[in-house]
């Protein structure tokens, strides 16, 4: 394989697939390399697919993509050991096509997306690990080294879309090692049951789905969240916590997952299901401040490898597709103008990102990770307090409501000073604003 | 609550094992003993790191390739690579 291509894309996740698809559609000679047996074999997600990012690439994806259920209801649960209090938002509006959010199963979805990439004309090679970037004397990236055949393949530009660990970017010195405070570990299981069981448990019709986001005691004081998503005939259940918190305590990730599954609000939803897979994956949650340099001579970075995840809104795959597409559009512009793939010209990629929702949203929440790190009461004290407050108000026991209010207020004051409460409210307001 | 062993979970997964080619290696076992709080023991979601007679032992067969151990090993005492193409965990669902 000593051939040369216009572009090499490393990785066949949403970022790599969006890039390879866009490049191939524009007629560039594209080689895409994936280490899994098939695209998706290494990938883990909750998983919610946001229609918009994919629609911009493949407008009629709804007709053929393997989608599980469209989301009509979102639940947010704040939990203590025994209870949850929360909000449900359900709207018939979400039942009308075109739907804007779906649950997916990544192994199936990535395989489908890759088929579209191949139809668009890219050469896709699986079961091949890229072991390093090839560079010329001046440091410009000129291709990649793989663990197949004689290994070296050359291209004008390399799109690095190898996911959160990005061994390639790290080895080349384009990115530092991940810091434990910038990544979460998520563990999840998939439980199969008849689709009628899913529909009756969640009060939904065929094709409709529910997502539940959970916070509070299930992460045992660690910064993190749990999630439960309905697929066609299965349920995905998982929990994620920051590595900096995980490494400072004694519970293993699977014990944490077992506790989440055993919570009295969760357990009946899973009952009778057959567990068919246990998976784990990192999520980059360092936010805006963790984004590395995303371009250089002969290379660009897209998706998780560039730390493009909006943890507040659980958006990752859409940012991956958007950054992958924009990297490709930048390359196409340069190729058409006959310009070389140098850092100077590829800088247009970063400008594109700055001008769209990707960087704007990440900037908006730039201080939130630090606030949550420094204030673990958001994951411990508050969930207990609000559940306690609800329990007090809803227990009919002959105590008048005003006394109950006083009791609740006293509880809050006792656990956290009035000053602390106001301060927390202010911090959150500033960060979400 | 009796917590099932992690092995029971991993049993559901599909692996293509590259026998004789572990993709993660402890560089210097002595450093695991001296001064490290051994976060890999707690954090690995597949329980690949265990203690045996005071030694940290790594068996990568159940590895989910998440990268956690590498990130929490602040001593940078791991040589961490991906398996050769086509080997390792192959998620059926993900
Ligand atoms: C539990 C969990 C829940 C999530 N929930 C959501 C959600 O609900 N909605 C959402 O939008 N996002 C969610 N995310 C985030 C989302 O999954 C990621 O942001 C997205 O997958 C990033 O895509 P990517 O293409 O950048 O990386 P990946 O999907 O990780 O793809 C990288 C690809 O590169 C390949 N690769 C890596 N190194 C090499 C190499 N050296 N050689 C060859 N190939 C290589 C890998 O095998 C892989 O296929 C979630 C993530 C997790 C872990
Ligand atoms: S964290 Fe690293 S140095 Fe510490 S015990 Fe684990 S492998 Fe050894
Ligand atoms: S990569 Fe993940 S699963 Fe594999 S040994 Fe390290 S922590 Fe465990």
């Amino acid at each position: 394989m000593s051939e040369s291509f216009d572009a090499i894309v490393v990785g066949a996740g949403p970022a790599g697939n969006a890039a390879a698809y866009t490049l191939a559609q524009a007629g560039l000679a594209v080689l895409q390399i994936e280490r899994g047996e098939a695209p998706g074999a290494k990938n883990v997600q909750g998983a919610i697919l946001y229609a918009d990012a994919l629609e911009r690439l493949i407008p009629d994806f709804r007709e053929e993509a393997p989608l599980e259920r469209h989301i009509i209801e979102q639940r947010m649960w704040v939990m203590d050991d025994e209870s949850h209090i929360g909000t449900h938002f359900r709207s018939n509006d979400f039942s009308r096509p075109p739907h804007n959010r779906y649950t997916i199963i990544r192994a199936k979805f990535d395989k489908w997306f890759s088929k579209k990439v191949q139809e668009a004309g890219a050469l896709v090679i699986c079961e091949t690990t890229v072991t390093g970037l090839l560079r010329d004397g001046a440091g410009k990236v000129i291709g990649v080294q793989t663990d197949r055949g004689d290994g070296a393949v050359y291209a004008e530009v390399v799109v690095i879309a190898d996911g959160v660990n990005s061994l390639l970017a790290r080895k080349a010195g384009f990115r530092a090692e991940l810091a434990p405070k910038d990544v979460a570990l998520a563990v999840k299981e998939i439980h199969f049951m008849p689709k009628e069981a899913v529909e009756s448990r969640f009060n939904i019709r065929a094709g409709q789905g529910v997502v539940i986001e959970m916070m509070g005691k299930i992460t045992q004081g660690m910064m993190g969240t749990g999630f439960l998503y309905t697929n066609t005939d299965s349920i995905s259940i998982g929990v994620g916590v920051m590595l900096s918190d995980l490494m400072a305590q004694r519970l293993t990730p699977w014990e944490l997952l077992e506790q989440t599954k055993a919570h009295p609000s969760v357990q009946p939803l899973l009952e009778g299901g057959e567990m068919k897979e246990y998976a784990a994956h990192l999520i980059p949650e360092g936010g805006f401040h963790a984004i590395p340099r995303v371009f250089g001579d002969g290379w660009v970075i897209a998706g998780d490898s560039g730390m493009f995840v909006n943890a507040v809104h659980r958006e990752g795959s859409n940012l991956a597709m958007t950054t992958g597409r924009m990297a490709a559009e930048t390359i196409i512009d340069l190729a058409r103008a006959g310009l070389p793939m140098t850092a100077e010209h590829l800088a247009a990629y970063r400008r594109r990102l700055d001008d769209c929702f990707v960087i704007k949203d990440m900037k908006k929440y730039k201080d939130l990770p630090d606030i949550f790190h420094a204030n673990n009461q958001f994951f411990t004290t508050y969930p207990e307090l609000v559940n306690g407050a609800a329990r007090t108000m809803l227990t009919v026991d002959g105590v008048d409501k005003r006394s109950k209010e006083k009791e609740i207020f006293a509880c809050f004051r006792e656990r956290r000073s009035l000053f602390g409460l106001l301060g927390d409210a202010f911090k959150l307001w500033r960060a979400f604003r | 609550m009796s917590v099932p062993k992690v092995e029971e979970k991993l049993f559901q997964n599909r692996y293509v094992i590259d026998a004789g080619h572990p993709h993660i290696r402890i560089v210097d076992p002595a450093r695991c003993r001296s001064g490290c709080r051994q976060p890999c023991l707690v954090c690995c979601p597949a329980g690949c790191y265990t203690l045996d007679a005071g030694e940290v032992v790594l068996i990568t067969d159940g590895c989910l390739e998440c990268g956690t151990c590498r990130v929490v090993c602040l001593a940078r005492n791991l040589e961490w690579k991906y398996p050769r193409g086509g080997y390792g965990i192959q998620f059926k669902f993900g």
Side-chain angles (χ1 to χ4, degrees):
Chain A
M1 251 203 317
S2 61
E3 266 177 88
S4 184
F5 294 83
D6 293 326
I8 292 173
V9 177
V10 183
N17 283 339
Y21 182 82
T22 308
L23 291 166
Q25 284 253 311
L28 273 67
V30 183
L31 171 68
Q32 187 183 27
I33 306 174
E34 165 59 45
R35 67 189 189 90
E37 212 170 48
K42 300 291 182 181
N43 301 342
V44 180
Q45 191 176 327
I48 307 293
L49 173 82
Y50 304 95
D52 179 71
L54 183 56
E55 205 165 21
R56 284 169 197 266
L57 290 160
I58 306 174
D60 59 354
F61 76 91
R62 290 181 180 85
E63 280 155 36
E64 39 173 304
L67 306 169
E68 296 289 308
R69 290 176 179 275
H70 63 266
I71 309 304
I72 65 152
E73 179 176 331
Q74 167 114 15
R75 305 180 187 173
M76 306 263 234
W77 287 358
V78 179
M79 305 159 101
D80 70 6
D81 286 326
E82 294 284 319
S83 356
H84 77 262
I85 182 166
T87 57
H88 290 195
F89 184 66
R90 176 174 176 131
S91 173
N92 200 39
D93 224 25
F94 294 144
S95 305
R96 285 186 206 107
H99 307 118
N100 66 9
R101 283 192 303 167
Y102 299 89
T103 45
I104 54 168
I105 289 177
R106 276 291 297 271
K108 287 194 212 165
F109 179 83
D110 288 7
K111 222 182 241 174
W112 167 81
F113 201 169
S114 178
K115 200 181 89 220
K116 303 303 288 182
V117 171
Q118 292 170 55
E119 284 168 12
L123 177 60
V124 180
I125 298 183
C126 292
E127 301 192 282
T128 305
T129 301
V130 174
T131 52
L133 299 172
L134 298 170
R135 301 169 85 169
D136 68 11
K140 180 177 190 294
V141 171
I142 52 170
V144 301
Q145 186 69 34
T146 73
D147 66 353
R148 283 249 149 187
D150 69 0
V153 219
Y154 298 89
E156 298 298 320
V157 62
V158 175
V159 180
I160 303 170
D162 58 348
V164 55
N165 282 299
S166 197
L167 298 190
L168 291 183
R170 227 158 25 80
K171 197 166 163 189
F174 299 159
R175 206 185 86 177
E177 176 58 279
L178 295 163
K181 72 166 181 48
D182 287 341
V183 268
L185 170 67
V187 285
K188 75 170 260 204
E189 288 177 357
I190 188 163
H191 290 244
F192 280 79
M193 62 185 70
K195 62 178 192 302
E196 296 74 23
V198 176
E199 285 155 15
S200 63
R201 278 175 203 195
F202 290 87
N203 184 26
I204 46 180
R205 299 215 166 87
Q208 300 180 328
V210 170
V211 310
I212 307 179
E213 307 283 353
M214 307 175 226
M215 66 180 288
K217 275 305 279 292
I218 52 160
T219 56
Q220 305 298 324
M222 293 181 265
M223 170 172 167
T225 50
F227 59 88
L228 185 156
Y229 299 158
T230 54
N231 306 315
T232 304
D233 56 355
S234 63
I235 287 175
S236 298
I237 172 88
V239 60
V241 290
M242 301 306 291
L243 282 188
S244 46
D245 286 351
L246 186 67
M247 65 194 288
Q249 53 84 62
R250 306 309 305 169
L251 266 184
T252 62
W254 68 89
E255 286 165 336
L256 202 61
L257 180 58
E258 283 308 307
Q259 291 191 4
T260 305
K261 283 162 54 190
H263 190 282
S265 299
V266 175
Q267 197 275 334
L269 296 173
L270 298 173
E271 202 150 75
E274 191 190 347
M275 197 278 263
K276 290 204 178 167
E277 190 171 75
Y278 168 65
H281 205 278
L282 293 179
I283 308 178
E285 299 206 350
F288 180 74
H289 296 301
I291 300 173
R293 185 159 177 227
V294 294
F295 63 90
D297 282 328
W299 61 275
V300 284
I301 284 186
D304 275 9
S305 45
M307 307 290 277
F308 291 111
V309 165
N310 178 343
V312 179
H313 290 275
R314 253 186 215 290
E315 292 178 25
S317 60
N318 58 329
L319 300 188
M321 285 182 211
T322 305
T323 54
R325 171 172 62 83
M326 292 192 166
E329 286 168 354
T330 308
I331 292 166
I332 294 164
D333 284 353
L334 298 185
R336 288 194 176 142
L339 292 168
M341 303 290 163
T342 55
E344 185 195 349
H345 293 130
L346 289 167
Y349 167 46
R350 173 69 202 216
R351 290 196 293 274
R352 263 175 212 260
L353 297 180
D354 284 337
D355 288 343
C356 78
F357 78 99
V358 173
I359 294 289
K360 285 184 183 156
D361 281 359
M362 291 193 65
K363 244 190 199 153
K364 179 169 181 329
Y365 297 119
K366 66 185 184 342
D367 297 325
L368 212 53
D370 288 340
I371 290 176
F372 282 137
H373 274 301
N375 299 273
N376 84 336
Q377 66 270 21
F378 290 120
F379 300 93
T380 51
T381 318
Y382 285 152
E384 280 180 16
L385 285 172
V386 292
N387 277 282
R391 197 178 297 117
T392 306
M393 281 315 265
L394 295 174
T395 306
V396 176
D397 55 2
V399 179
D400 69 276
K401 300 296 184 253
R402 172 145 316 194
S403 304
K404 281 184 190 256
E405 275 171 17
K406 275 196 187 135
E407 183 189 328
I408 292 167
F409 190 63
C411 266
F412 273 75
R413 285 284 295 273
E414 188 186 312
R415 297 288 294 277
R416 185 121 177 95
S417 72
L418 194 54
F419 225 56
L421 285 174
L422 287 173
D424 288 345
F426 181 68
K427 277 181 238 164
L428 275 186
W429 173 72
R430 279 280 300 263
F432 274 102
R433 188 168 53 116
Chain B
M1 183 181 77
S2 78
V3 174
K5 287 208 170 83
V6 70
E7 288 79 5
E8 289 168 32
K9 295 183 183 294
L10 302 176
F11 184 71
Q12 300 298 326
N13 293 354
R14 183 163 167 264
Y15 294 94
V16 181
I17 305 278
D18 194 0
H21 294 97
H23 61 285
I24 311 172
R25 198 176 66 84
I26 295 177
V27 179
D28 176 10
R31 288 179 72 184
C32 299
R33 272 179 256 124
S34 62
C36 183
R37 290 178 59 203
Q38 306 177 329
C40 53
L41 298 176
V42 176
C43 296
C44 170
C48 293
Y49 293 80
T50 50
L51 266 187
D52 184 22
E55 294 275 327
V56 175
V57 180
L58 164 63
I59 297 169
T60 56
D61 291 1
C63 177
L64 300 164
E65 299 167 28
C66 64
T68 297
C69 53
R70 198 194 66 247
V71 177
V72 300
C73 180
L74 300 178
R76 298 282 172 264
N77 197 22
L78 292 175
E79 188 184 292
W80 198 104
K81 290 184 300 199
Y82 282 126
R84 286 193 289 164
Y87 287 96
I89 181 75
Q90 309 292 335
F91 290 118
K92 296 171 286 185
F93 308 103

